[in-house]
Amino acid sequence: MSDQGQSGKQAAQNLYSLNVSGYTARCFLPKDGKTDRIVYMHAAMPDEADKVWQLLSCQCVLVCIEGIEWNRDMSPWYHPGVFAKGGDFAGGADLYLQKLCHEIIPEVEEKIHPDIMVEFKNEVHRYLAGYSLSGLFSLYALYHTDLFEGIACMSGSLWYEGWIPYMKKHEMCRKPEKIYFSLGDQEAKGNSQMRTVAERTEETKRYMEDLGISTILEWNPGNHFRDVPERIARGIDWLMTDAE
């Protein structure tokens, strides 16, 4: 168990840090005990999960996977770089998703189950949340695993070439109950690739809605990098609405 925890909302003894398959899983546990809901997320910035945890109003476990190779692990297939200071996207999501589903998640839940899930036996409700490229990854995961009941995709990289055809051509392993989308109102003003993000996010939302999935698209002021923890927390809280 980690000896470093949260001030305010979270006591130190309610933060686990586990090393699994070369990644670190930081597990934020509810202060007052039991829950059957776990939200998994991938963070690109240091302390991002700490800030999200402080902002959440819902009752859940938050598991943040750190140490990922962003452009490799979160990208579904190869895509040339689109940012001046960024490299190509290697397309390693399939391999990473296998580790997440078959190594990381089982290890995490085996460790935390005795502390928070005794009342729920084997019934666990899992959700996947992601920002930017990990938002795309969260949607992509629906086509390769049935573990997740809901998805939060904040400022997702749905500009990614090939995403829309892939989404429409393939069948999900499990249709989620809810999908949350959000974007900043200045995000579509970047380079030519970024300018497609709004229309492709809206198209993705409509497609998921037509499948009978409960969805929402919230617009936030600012560009891609504004109020990231706040946007993530809002998405997670929305997923938990009516699940209390």
Side-chain angles (χ1 to χ4, degrees):
M1 184 180 295
S2 171
D3 60 359
Q4 295 181 351
Q6 305 296 302
S7 61
K9 179 178 177 180
Q10 193 63 58
Q13 63 267 26
N14 288 331
L15 172 63
Y16 282 86
S17 184
L18 309 174
N19 294 317
V20 188
S21 303
Y23 299 90
T24 298
R26 298 179 67 230
C27 311
F28 299 81
L29 278 58
K31 183 178 180 181
D32 53 357
K34 312 302 180 183
T35 181
D36 60 349
R37 294 175 294 154
I38 305 182
V39 179
Y40 291 88
M41 65 172 281
H42 297 87
M45 302 298 292
D47 301 324
E48 192 168 272
D50 302 76
K51 295 175 182 177
V52 170
W53 181 247
Q54 293 291 331
L55 291 163
L56 287 177
S57 61
C58 62
Q59 175 88 345
C60 68
V61 175
L62 179 66
V63 179
C64 182
I65 314 301
E66 299 178 346
I68 59 173
E69 182 64 38
W70 196 253
N71 281 15
R72 180 193 68 196
D73 295 341
M74 298 288 100
S75 57
W77 46 80
Y78 174 81
H79 193 297
V82 296
F83 304 109
K85 297 182 180 180
D88 293 346
F89 302 92
D94 288 348
L95 180 58
Y96 171 71
L97 190 57
Q98 287 294 311
K99 292 181 180 180
L100 176 66
C101 295
H102 298 291
E103 300 175 29
I104 298 173
I105 289 177
E107 178 81 8
V108 165
E109 294 182 8
E110 180 183 2
K111 295 294 185 183
I112 66 177
H113 191 283
D115 290 317
I116 63 164
M117 293 185 178
V118 175
E119 295 177 1
F120 303 98
K121 298 182 180 179
N122 294 321
E123 184 181 0
V124 178
H125 302 281
R126 301 179 186 88
Y127 304 84
L128 187 59
Y131 196 94
S132 192
L133 196 59
S134 67
L136 171 65
F137 171 83
S138 298
L139 293 174
Y140 179 75
L142 293 173
Y143 295 86
H144 296 269
T145 180
D146 61 0
L147 286 179
F148 303 109
E149 295 183 20
I151 300 295
C153 174
M154 285 69 59
S155 294
S157 299
L158 306 188
W159 51 262
Y160 208 89
E161 206 61 49
W163 162 247
I164 296 294
Y166 184 92
M167 172 185 70
K168 294 182 177 180
K169 182 179 179 181
H170 294 81
E171 186 174 344
M172 298 179 196
C173 295
R174 173 187 186 178
K175 188 169 69 173
E177 296 176 3
K178 307 175 76 174
I179 302 179
Y180 174 92
F181 298 93
S182 71
L183 278 175
D185 58 15
Q186 302 298 308
E187 291 198 55
K189 296 185 177 181
N191 60 37
S192 59
Q193 195 76 47
M194 297 303 102
R195 286 197 288 271
T196 67
V197 70
E199 67 177 84
R200 291 181 180 179
T201 299
E202 290 173 333
E203 185 174 357
T204 299
K205 178 190 181 296
R206 287 193 302 270
Y207 181 79
M208 297 300 181
E209 213 163 35
D210 288 344
L211 293 177
I213 301 168
S214 175
T215 70
I216 189 173
L217 171 55
E218 289 193 335
W219 291 91
N220 302 292
N223 62 20
H224 188 71
F225 303 101
R226 179 173 170 180
D227 301 328
V228 173
E230 289 81 2
R231 294 182 187 182
I232 296 173
R234 281 200 298 274
I236 294 173
D237 277 334
W238 185 86
L239 283 183
M240 300 295 107
T241 301
D242 299 326
E244 296 290 347

